[in-house]
Amino acid sequence: MTTRMLGEKVQRVEDDRLLRGQGRYVDDLAQGALEVAVLRSPHAHARIVEIDVDPVLDVDGVVAVWTYDDLTGPMAEPLPLLIPHPALTHGRTQHALAKDEVNHVGEAIAFVVAEDRYVAEDAVSRIRVTYEPLPAVVGVEAARSAEHLVHEDVPGNVAARLEQATGDADAAIAAAPHRLSLDLEVERSASTPLEGRGTVARWDPDAGRLTVWSSTQTSTGVRAAVATKLGLDLGQVDVITPDVGGGFGVKIVHPWPEEVLVPMAAMALGRPVKFTEDRREHFVSSAHERGQLQHVDVGFDDEGRLLGMSVQLWHDHGAYIPYGLIVPIITSTQALGPYKPEAYKVVFESLYTNTVIVTPYRGAGRPQGVFLMERTMDAIAAYLGRDRAEVRAANFIQPDEFPYDQRMTFQDGRPLVYDSGDYPQLLDKLKALVGWDDFESVRQEARREGRRVGIGLACYVEGTGVGPYEGAHINVETTGKVKVAIGLTSQGQGHRTAFAQIVADELGVPFEDVEVTSGDTRRMGYAVGTFASRAAVMSGSAVALAARQVKAKALRIAADALEAAEEDLEIVDGHVQVRGAPASRLALGTVAVLSNPLRYAFDEASKLATQFTVGNPDKPPVEEDDEPGLEGRDFYSPERSTFAAGMHAVVVETDPDTAEVKILRYAVVHDCGTLVNPMIVEGQIHGGVAQGVGGALYERMAYDESGQLLNASFMDFLMPYVTEVPERIEVDHLETPSPLNPLGIKGAGEAGVIPSAALFASAIEDAEGIPIRRMPISPSELYDLRRKAAENAGSVENAGSVESARSEPVETKESR
Amino acid sequence: MPTVSFRVDGVDHTLDVDVRTTVLDLLRERLGNTAPKKGCDHGQCGSCTVLLDGRRHLTCLALAVSYDGAEVVTAAGLGEGHADGLHPVADAFLRNDAFQCGYCTPGQVCSAVGMLDELREGHPSHVTEDLDAEVDPDDDELRERMSGNLCRCGAYVGILAAVRECVASGGEA
């Protein structure tokens, strides 16, 4: 029997090559290509008075330079607003090179192409730009006050205002026995993959074809954008995504200015051109996320059940809004998590600031939504003096309530309907895994040793696998090798392994015979991209459907050849055989030969398929409604998203003197439906947790009031190293399959990072007895909170003492 | 332009370089050895780590003219002489799922190989408590010693497990 691959911890086929340094990332390609350096704005907000590029042309090795005035046709138009929305009344996007005005430090102004990067950078430093600085709008408060405007024609700096409601939240809150209000804040962070953005383009004038290699999360998107901008037919442009050194959201944005400027330059110059973003450029000219101010009003009963909840969000989307309202819509809707408030209202304003654009970073607005909901849950528990897990459980959607309609519109424009899940069981598993009910004894023991510990938990639901569709093409070669092409791209998720596992199972072939190609528009021209935890759900389903087509065709052909009934046949280990009679079997490669009637024999195998060997002389060699080849091609397009869920718990120790936060235990329970490869899923969870630790305790974008990013390096933007991440992450799985797709898969890629800000706030609050309302939190900020709490309590001396921590549930003084 | 000589993964090269050329750019742009990666170009991420004259080294901060005559081993050359051409440390990374996108991996592996040598030679680290005693390679030691290499995919649990396994197996690993 062929071993079942689905659900197995299969080692990744990608690994060996990457380990030996044989990975091929964009900057590893096209050695000897012309290289690019970009002049970027040093001002957050300024009018461009004059640009003098003349001194550049004297530099030896400089080939060409472009500014906005050199752009023509569609290239001179603003870059596309990728995701329009009726509420996005004031959408503004940047030009490939700044036109008249710059709106953030790092905005591209001039594009220099030279023999190598050293020369290109020398040349950039010679460009003279005269600026007329304008007041910079930095931070949500400055944007809201609208004392200055980012774009003259956008009143109030407001790009969009969107309200969604179910029930009458205000009335429900007013009538509720208990009420609380919270003001919350989440600061900016960013994806910061270790490989920045990069694009290589080669124009073949003989064939009239453009080939673009880009470090992107969507090769089909880049292809469409490049063709549109350069006035080429789609059929003239191929986009290939080679190995990608991490994406985490930032590389779904397209086209970046350089992504269209590089192909433009390659066509104009007739030579391959390469752009490789450097680290500082990545900080100031790609994208950030997370920054929001939030206000919550909530009314609840004695058990902590949410009777009414009203949320206001102010979302900082930076200087432009190419990715539309996706992030604040996700915050608004996914804040609901596993809960069912009787009435819910959310309104957000998406605001311009003179800072780097904001587009989805792993989690894409969910971390902020989970933060506001879970902070609310903890505040309710503290107010009522109830257990935090108990308050959450009182609000859970129950297993028999699925499909559960949250009566909201999700990020894909479709109803927010949860397909399946079991939240009470997840919570039980988490409590057992982390020892929730026994924690008081742990706390007491630590206290006796003079140590201060706390435990936190956070729950989330993640809408994964958004549409519109993904496809797969599978071709069985006459060697028996199975070639699979999917359209979406890979950035380290092990797609070549996971999808080969699915094909091996569906088709009954050895895993080793399956080879998966991703993100190459020459192989699959219709695709959307890798984001929103959608690859396994979307492409995994498409791969399964396409494999089923191949199997059906193989059985039909083999039935004829073996003179057996189709229903008596099975495919085992790459051979079609009569069930239970493996003696008479036909290799799938032979079936592939038979599927393609030939005039010419080019090897021994193909002699089997030539015209004097096979076929009924009374019928056409390829019958009506049939095609030559043993192939399958299918698409999966779901009605709506499938909803994964998870719950995390963390035990922290806070240093009584330095206020440093140490992670003692980290536990995850996770439900992403059917597991394709548990090793890959756990890797994704580990990675998400590592980024979450960064986002909760270390990472932020430190802008000064003039819009300069003060920490635009890995020295100053504190990403976790191995020293900051727990050495062990305890993981338990629950599998409630999705009814929406053939394998029951739900997405898993983003999950690990989603609850972190809420989780650490919960644990630190528990350890310290001080309300935490703003994340991330540094030791100095925690120290400061302690000092203020002690001042408020009228006793500075007790600020650092263990005894003062967590004596009573915290009164947040927010009840009316 | 000055002339420099390097032995890279067992092959000798002599070439003229711009004095500003880093060892990383020399390897990648001039010799076509793209195993070491450029993650920050400022010595903060470790992706460009190779073994330079036997020690782990950040090649983005090393000017080629300062290392004339050096012997460089990159992740592509580490496996030379090992079974399947795979260095035991690389093999441990493979078995412990110690990476995802693979961009930092050649640097991580070189760093781990260099680190294990330093351990064997008794070098103390920032967290070594007793400088006179033999170093106890516990998790804190290993994490501290691998803290020059960023992995944004966050495969640190696997990286630590791989390195721990190499220490436990004692030998060459």
Side-chain angles (χ1 to χ4, degrees):
Chain A
M1 261 316 284
T2 312
T3 319
R4 188 174 162 79
M5 303 296 289
L6 196 73
E8 290 299 310
K9 292 191 174 190
V10 177
Q11 196 166 75
R12 307 192 323 163
V13 295
E14 291 89 342
D15 287 356
D16 187 76
R17 199 170 51 82
L18 300 177
L19 258 181
R20 295 172 195 264
Q22 291 165 354
R24 301 294 283 165
Y25 305 85
V26 168
D27 193 38
D28 301 337
L29 308 173
Q31 299 283 320
L34 295 173
E35 297 217 42
V36 167
V38 178
L39 175 72
R40 299 184 185 281
S41 173
H43 296 286
H45 199 190
R47 242 183 290 285
I48 298 172
V49 179
E50 194 190 352
I51 306 175
D52 178 11
V53 296
D54 288 349
V56 170
L57 303 169
D58 300 337
V59 178
D60 201 22
V62 168
V63 179
V65 57
W66 278 266
T67 65
Y68 177 79
D69 289 343
D70 304 310
L71 303 179
T72 56
M75 282 298 291
E77 299 295 315
L79 297 178
L81 202 168
L82 288 169
I83 309 180
H85 188 285
L88 183 47
T89 51
H90 292 77
R92 300 289 179 272
T93 58
Q94 71 184 107
H95 291 82
L97 293 169
K99 176 178 187 269
D100 304 333
E101 187 175 314
V102 283
N103 281 299
H104 67 87
V105 170
E107 185 165 349
I109 295 172
F111 186 82
V112 174
V113 180
E115 292 296 336
D116 66 35
R117 177 76 181 229
Y118 287 63
V119 174
E121 290 192 15
D122 288 348
V124 158
S125 69
R126 291 184 157 219
I127 301 173
R128 297 283 168 255
V129 184
T130 311
Y131 299 97
E132 183 189 322
L134 298 167
V137 179
V138 181
V140 173
E141 292 294 5
R144 281 177 72 187
S145 79
E147 198 179 318
H148 302 290
L149 297 179
V150 176
H151 301 286
E152 269 172 15
D153 57 348
V154 179
N157 292 314
V158 179
R161 184 180 183 282
L162 182 63
E163 179 173 325
Q164 290 204 60
T166 161
D168 186 343
D170 292 335
I173 296 167
H178 310 286
R179 291 181 287 274
L180 282 173
S181 297
L182 291 85
D183 284 296
L184 303 165
E185 182 177 356
V186 181
E187 288 194 44
R188 276 192 178 200
S189 183
S191 304
T192 54
L194 275 193
E195 182 207 23
R197 298 180 291 119
T199 301
V200 169
R202 189 164 62 203
W203 171 248
D204 180 343
D206 299 328
R209 286 188 83 80
L210 180 71
T211 309
V212 180
W213 291 261
S214 202
S215 185
T216 181
Q217 294 175 221
T218 172
S219 47
T220 46
V222 172
R223 183 193 194 201
V226 167
T228 304
K229 281 289 176 193
L230 299 183
L232 296 170
D233 294 336
L234 208 53
Q236 286 179 282
V237 182
D238 300 317
V239 176
I240 301 163
T241 307
D243 289 320
V244 175
F248 315 116
V250 65
K251 292 176 183 174
I252 191 60
V253 180
H254 64 282
W256 293 101
E258 299 84 354
E259 226 161 13
V260 286
L261 290 164
V262 165
M264 177 199 75
M267 287 180 71
L269 301 172
R271 290 176 63 184
V273 176
K274 181 195 287 189
F275 166 69
T276 305
E277 182 184 58
D278 73 23
R279 187 49 53 189
R280 182 177 154 72
E281 287 181 296
H282 188 76
F283 275 101
V284 300
S285 68
S286 58
H288 303 161
E289 214 235 275
R290 302 283 197 255
Q292 273 180 8
L293 290 184
Q294 308 172 328
H295 179 82
V296 179
D297 293 306
V298 63
F300 49 96
D301 67 13
D302 294 342
E303 272 73 50
R305 275 192 289 265
L306 301 173
L307 303 175
M309 186 165 179
S310 173
V311 174
Q312 290 167 273
L313 306 171
W314 294 271
H315 175 76
D316 169 5
H317 67 246
Y320 303 102
I321 192 161
Y323 213 73
L325 304 177
I326 295 299
V327 173
I329 289 176
I330 293 178
T331 304
S332 304
T333 50
Q334 298 259 264
L336 289 165
Y339 313 118
K340 43 175 186 182
E342 289 186 8
Y344 176 66
K345 180 172 90 175
V346 59
V347 56
F348 71 75
E349 281 183 354
S350 198
L351 299 160
Y352 286 102
T353 58
N354 289 113
T355 58
V356 172
I357 60 168
V358 164
T359 65
Y361 159 39
R362 195 178 200 168
R366 290 178 191 84
Q368 300 94 311
V370 170
F371 183 67
L372 76 87
M373 178 57 87
E374 298 294 291
R375 289 283 70 211
T376 302
M377 288 289 166
D378 282 356
I380 291 172
Y383 178 92
L384 295 172
R386 301 188 83 100
D387 177 65
R388 287 169 289 165
E390 194 182 292
V391 169
R392 285 166 170 83
N395 284 287
F396 279 159
I397 295 162
Q398 296 301 308
D400 60 4
E401 293 181 285
F402 291 97
Y404 188 84
D405 187 351
Q406 289 280 22
R407 297 168 291 166
M408 306 281 285
T409 302
F410 194 40
Q411 62 143 321
D412 50 3
R414 294 182 171 244
L416 185 71
V417 178
Y418 294 180
D419 52 331
S420 65
D422 187 341
Y423 309 138
Q425 200 186 337
L426 273 177
L427 184 61
D428 287 346
K429 276 177 172 271
L430 182 74
K431 286 169 71 176
L433 186 62
V434 76
W436 180 267
D437 291 334
D438 304 325
F439 189 73
E440 280 316 308
S441 63
V442 175
R443 191 198 308 278
Q444 293 307 328
E445 196 181 321
R447 195 168 288 177
R448 279 194 293 277
E449 294 167 359
R451 295 162 56 231
R452 189 182 290 186
V453 298
I455 191 168
L457 86 164
C459 312
Y460 64 90
V461 167
E462 183 194 0
T464 69
V466 296
Y469 67 84
E470 285 299 333
H473 176 255
I474 301 178
N475 178 38
V476 180
E477 300 209 345
T478 54
T479 55
K481 297 282 182 200
V482 182
K483 305 288 183 179
V484 181
I486 53 166
L488 55 66
T489 61
S490 300
Q491 302 95 44
Q493 300 93 334
H495 291 160
R496 289 172 203 178
T497 308
F499 298 139
Q501 286 178 254
I502 293 173
V503 172
D505 273 0
E506 291 288 341
L507 200 49
V509 296
F511 173 76
E512 298 73 27
D513 285 350
V514 186
E515 183 191 286
V516 179
T517 301
S518 61
D520 184 340
T521 61
R522 298 171 303 181
R523 297 283 303 276
M524 176 53 76
Y526 292 95
V528 184
T530 303
F531 58 95
S533 304
R534 69 192 293 280
V537 177
M538 302 299 298
S539 289
S541 299
V543 158
L545 295 173
R548 288 172 192 181
Q549 284 190 4
V550 175
K551 183 176 182 177
K553 182 162 187 180
L555 294 182
R556 175 163 53 80
I557 295 168
D560 205 25
L562 294 170
E563 293 174 348
E566 267 178 61
E567 52 273 22
D568 293 337
L569 296 180
E570 60 180 355
I571 305 179
V572 178
D573 208 20
H575 291 75
V576 191
Q577 64 189 36
V578 177
R579 220 175 286 274
S584 60
R585 62 180 201 164
L586 208 53
L588 219 46
T590 310
V591 181
V593 170
L594 296 175
S595 74
N596 181 20
L598 293 171
R599 185 170 178 86
Y600 310 113
F602 41 85
D603 62 9
E604 284 306 312
S606 51
K607 282 181 188 167
L608 288 173
T610 49
Q611 58 197 12
F612 295 105
T613 316
V614 290
N616 182 340
D618 299 329
K619 286 184 179 172
V622 177
E623 291 193 42
E624 211 174 322
D625 297 330
D626 202 1
E627 290 175 2
L630 186 49
E631 291 187 318
R633 183 175 190 261
D634 209 343
F635 289 84
Y636 171 67
S637 181
E639 184 180 324
R640 55 179 186 268
S641 297
T642 172
F643 289 80
M647 299 179 190
H648 293 201
V650 70
V651 177
V652 301
E653 178 170 349
T654 55
D655 189 293
D657 298 318
T658 64
E660 281 172 286
V661 177
K662 188 174 162 189
I663 302 166
L664 301 182
R665 286 185 69 185
Y666 198 110
V668 176
V669 293
H670 185 245
D671 181 358
C672 60
T674 308
L675 289 167
V676 179
N677 184 327
M679 184 188 78
I680 290 176
V681 172
E682 283 183 19
Q684 290 291 321
I685 291 171
H686 290 172
V689 168
Q691 289 182 354
V693 168
L697 302 178
Y698 304 104
E699 298 167 9
R700 71 187 71 208
M701 292 295 168
Y703 275 103
D704 70 9
E705 68 281 0
S706 64
Q708 296 292 335
L709 184 57
L710 302 179
N711 62 340
S713 79
F714 284 158
M715 190 68 91
D716 301 306
F717 176 79
L718 304 177
M719 271 158 57
Y721 290 86
V722 67
T723 30
E724 280 71 47
V725 173
E727 52 231 28
R728 184 159 164 253
I729 298 165
E730 300 159 71
V731 181
D732 195 4
H733 296 285
L734 178 69
E735 293 188 58
T736 56
S738 171
L740 301 178
N741 63 68
L743 300 175
I745 299 170
K746 299 177 180 181
E750 296 168 274
V753 80
I754 291 173
S756 313
L759 179 68
F760 280 92
S762 178
I764 294 168
E765 183 171 287
D766 184 54
E768 296 281 324
I770 305 170
I772 307 292
R773 296 288 182 258
R774 183 171 186 245
M775 289 296 273
I777 187 164
S778 66
S780 55
E781 284 164 331
L782 179 55
Y783 189 86
D784 218 39
L785 287 176
R786 278 178 184 172
R787 205 166 40 80
K788 283 180 189 149
E791 276 166 14
N792 288 344
S795 159
V796 180
E797 287 76 23
N798 278 346
S801 83
V802 170
E803 287 71 30
S804 73
R806 195 180 168 81
S807 43
E808 289 301 317
V810 193
E811 266 291 351
T812 54
K813 292 196 287 189
E814 282 145 347
S815 57
R816 286 176 196 163
Chain B
M1 275 205 244
T3 303
V4 294
S5 296
F6 280 82
R7 166 170 282 210
V8 178
D9 293 336
V11 180
D12 291 318
H13 303 271
T14 298
L15 61 170
D16 297 339
V17 294
D18 182 330
V19 287
R20 303 177 296 179
T21 307
T22 61
V23 175
L24 178 60
D25 285 343
L26 177 132
L27 290 168
R28 292 182 52 85
E29 309 290 330
R30 301 293 306 278
L31 302 179
N33 184 327
T34 57
K37 305 298 182 197
K38 194 181 277 187
C40 69
D41 217 16
H42 283 71
Q44 296 153 1
C45 76
S47 301
C48 66
T49 306
V50 303
L51 297 173
L52 196 147
D53 288 335
R55 294 263 178 247
R56 51 179 168 161
H57 215 102
L58 297 169
T59 52
C60 73
L61 293 185
L63 291 172
V65 289
S66 305
Y67 293 89
D68 185 18
E71 166 150 24
V72 171
V73 178
T74 71
L78 267 183
E80 191 64 41
H82 294 281
D84 294 332
L86 197 62
H87 190 280
V89 171
D91 191 42
F93 269 62
L94 200 60
R95 282 180 284 102
N96 287 281
D97 193 32
F99 56 104
Q100 291 172 22
C101 79
Y103 197 80
C104 74
T105 310
Q108 298 271 5
V109 174
C110 287
S111 185
V113 171
M115 183 276 279
L116 292 163
D117 274 341
E118 291 159 19
L119 255 186
R120 256 193 308 277
E121 291 166 15
H123 295 204
S125 83
H126 176 65
V127 299
T128 309
E129 281 179 16
D130 184 349
L131 297 183
D132 298 322
E134 196 176 325
V135 178
D136 172 19
D138 61 10
D139 280 356
D140 280 350
E141 275 287 353
L142 298 180
R143 291 164 78 185
E144 169 61 26
R145 288 161 190 263
M146 287 301 290
S147 68
N149 292 77
L150 276 173
C151 169
R152 189 52 161 171
C153 296
Y156 294 125
V157 172
I159 292 169
L160 183 62
V163 174
R164 201 190 281 134
E165 194 181 293
C166 294
V167 171
S169 69
E172 180 9 2

